[in-house]
Each structure stands twice: as structure tokens, then as C-alpha cells.
Amino acid sequence: MLHFFRWLPLLSRHEAALVGITAIWGATFLIIHVAMNHSGPLFFVGVRFLTAAAIGLVVFRRTLAGLTRLELGAGSAIGMMIFLGYGLQTWGLQSISSSTSAFISALYVPIVPLLQWAVLRRAPRLMTLVGVALAFTGLVLLAGPGAAGISLSTGELVTLLSAVAIAAEIILIGSFAGKVDLGRVTVVQLFVGGALSLLLMPVAGERIPEFSWVWLTAAVGLGAASYLIQLTMNWAQRFVTPTRATIIYTGEPVWGGVIGRVAGDRLPGLALLGAALIVLGVLVSELKPRTKERAEPRTPDREEASARS
């Protein structure tokens, strides 16, 4: 037993931070699901991320004057993905349970290498394709017996689309990490995500809801949580590889499912099997032979991260 624990790799402080925000992330599904009884999705997402941006403005007010074109472009691109990812996810939570949303949203992990293949021409590994197949099978089972013909409900479909947007966000964050100022790009992406949500309300035919302490408390609270999540992701992914980060993020649907069950969500047996296959698919998609891991060259940033941890 002691030999087993010696074998387990210790988490660096950057990886531990990602574990922490993953638990917070998992708890947001139930909060949003409840808030959707009192607010429309675009208004809620707008207030949530503009609150997060306001916090960022206060924290980084002294450094924002140095905003560069690269940081503005990077923040805007990431912010657009935040708008699409969280907007669609929130829309889906109007009609599906928080547990179902959490597990479908987790599909962004195997989607990341598929997007890299489509956009960056990086062919996925065999284990990635196996993971995608497992996750897709899990999605069909999670959707229910009526989904045998791959006919997802509207809520499930838009949540799946949100997973694609979140995957794109992860790729963009990884692409710009280390090239931009952490504080400035975080403020820009949060502001863009929130502003787009509010600006598109008339287009979607959504009105400002009647005042409710439920949506106000949830939006402001999640705004603070969103600021913490985005800032931590931007900071930690400078030192944690995309593979390690996505494996850590696998815990998100587990947290969401546990919290949803405590709150009364009761997924049927077939759906639970589907949820398990999604998590398994997410993990399998990130597996690679240990020989490749050992042969992977270490960059100066990684050496510095190891020294600091």
C-alpha cells in the first residue's frame, strides 16, 4: 500500500488550483438550473460575466493601460467562445437536469483533439479516437432510450454545441498562454463574453426579467466564481500541459453529478451508465504510452514551474 502511494504523482500548486476550480465549476450547474426559473439565459450570462469583468477591472486597473493589440484580440476571441459556451450551456439548463448538463458538457475534453485535427491539422492518437467513441456511446445512453436514432432533445443538443465552444476556448487559452498579460487578457475576455450576451438579447427576443434575489445572487456569485475560474485557468495553464489540464477537468461532471444527486436529481440506470462512459472516454482520450511522456522534452517554463512547486 505504501508503495502504491509513493507511485502516485504529487500535484503541483498549479494542478491543485485547477482541481479546486473544477469543484467550483461542477457546483455551478445546479445553481444555474435553479436561476433559470427566474431569468433568461442571455441576461443571466451577461450579468454573470460583466460582474466578473468588473472585479477584474478593480484588481488589474493599474496594468490595463498597457493593453496591446495581441491581448485585445486574444481576449476577444476567448470571450466570444465564453459567450457561446456558457450561453448555450445556460440555455440548455432551462430544459435538462444539472447532472445531465454536467456530463454532456464534459465532452469538450475529447472534442479538443478533434478540433486541433480539423483546424491545426494535428492528427489525433488512437487512444483519442477510442475515447471519442466511448464518450459518444455514453452521450447516446445519457440522452435516453429515445435517442437510439441520435435524436437529442433541444436542451441536450445546445449543451453539446456548448461543449464544442468550450473546447475552442481551451485551445485558445493554451495558444496564447505565456504570450499575453494574464490580468489584461482575463478582463477583456470576461467583458466580451458578458457584453455579447446582453447585446444579443433583442435578437433572441429575450427581455430583462423581473427583479429576483435568486437570479441576482446567483449571477453575482457566479460572476465572482467565473473571475476566479478564468484567472486560475489562464495562470495555471502556463505551467500545466493541455493533457494534464484536461485530465483534471474530468472531475467537473463528477462534481456536478454528485451535487445534482444531493439536490434530488435521479438519473436512470442507463443514463448513469452513459455518464460513466463519458467520463471513461474523457480519461481514455488523454492516455498515452509512458515512454512518450518520458521522452517529451521539458521547456524552460516547465523547469521553472517544477522549481517553484
Side-chain angles (χ1 to χ4, degrees):
M1 182 64 72
L2 289 176
H3 176 73
F4 172 77
F5 283 110
R6 290 194 190 104
W7 177 83
L8 287 175
L10 295 176
L11 292 176
S12 70
R13 59 194 178 105
H14 307 96
E15 292 166 340
L18 291 181
V19 171
I21 65 164
T22 299
I24 297 174
W25 206 346
T28 63
F29 290 95
L30 179 62
I31 296 172
I32 298 172
H33 182 69
V34 173
M36 285 303 93
N37 294 322
H38 304 270
S39 172
L42 290 179
F43 178 80
F44 184 83
V45 171
V47 174
R48 172 184 178 179
F49 284 102
L50 287 182
T51 298
I55 296 173
L57 282 172
V58 173
V59 175
F60 296 106
R61 62 188 182 280
R62 295 181 179 179
T63 63
L64 286 175
L67 183 67
T68 66
R69 289 184 179 180
L70 176 61
E71 291 164 349
L72 181 60
S76 297
I78 297 171
M80 186 174 296
M81 293 304 104
I82 288 175
F83 157 69
L84 290 173
Y86 289 89
L88 291 170
Q89 185 186 84
T90 303
W91 182 12
L93 277 164
Q94 293 180 113
S95 57
I96 64 176
S97 71
S98 60
S99 298
T100 299
S101 177
F103 285 107
I104 294 178
S105 296
L107 289 169
Y108 73 83
V109 176
I111 289 174
V112 166
L114 294 183
L115 278 183
Q116 289 179 325
W117 186 17
V119 178
L120 304 177
R121 297 294 186 260
R122 297 179 185 173
R125 295 171 288 104
L126 175 61
M127 295 308 294
T128 297
L129 296 177
V130 173
V132 170
L134 287 170
F136 180 76
T137 303
L139 174 63
V140 173
L141 295 178
L142 184 64
I150 320 302
S151 55
L152 299 175
S153 69
T154 300
E156 292 163 342
L157 179 60
V158 297
T159 303
L160 179 59
L161 292 176
S162 79
V164 176
I166 293 173
E169 177 197 350
I170 297 296
I171 293 174
L172 287 172
I173 289 176
S175 298
F176 290 111
K179 303 175 184 178
V180 294
D181 179 82
L182 172 63
R184 292 195 291 263
V185 79
T186 299
V187 172
V188 171
Q189 67 193 47
L190 292 172
F191 176 79
V192 169
L196 283 176
S197 297
L198 295 183
L199 289 174
L200 289 177
M201 283 179 61
V203 178
E206 184 178 321
R207 297 181 179 180
I208 298 176
E210 295 183 2
F211 176 79
S212 167
W213 284 109
V214 175
W215 68 251
L216 178 63
T217 303
V220 172
L222 290 184
S226 297
Y227 170 76
L228 177 63
I229 288 170
Q230 294 303 136
L231 182 64
T232 304
M233 287 175 66
N234 290 340
W235 169 71
Q237 283 193 227
R238 295 172 60 194
F239 304 99
V240 180
T241 65
T243 297
R244 292 282 290 180
T246 47
I247 288 175
I248 292 172
Y249 296 152
T250 305
E252 176 199 347
V254 178
W255 284 107
V258 169
I259 294 171
R261 183 168 181 82
V262 170
D265 279 355
R266 292 294 184 270
L267 294 177
L270 201 61
L272 286 174
L273 175 60
L277 285 176
I278 288 176
V279 173
L280 179 61
V282 168
L283 286 171
V284 168
S285 70
E286 294 301 327
L287 290 178
K288 62 174 64 175
R290 292 180 62 84
T291 53
K292 291 185 178 180
E293 290 280 4
R294 290 172 180 170
E296 186 178 359
R298 293 177 65 83
T299 64
D301 281 349
R302 288 184 190 171
E303 294 288 359
E304 181 181 359
S306 297
R308 292 178 180 176
S309 300

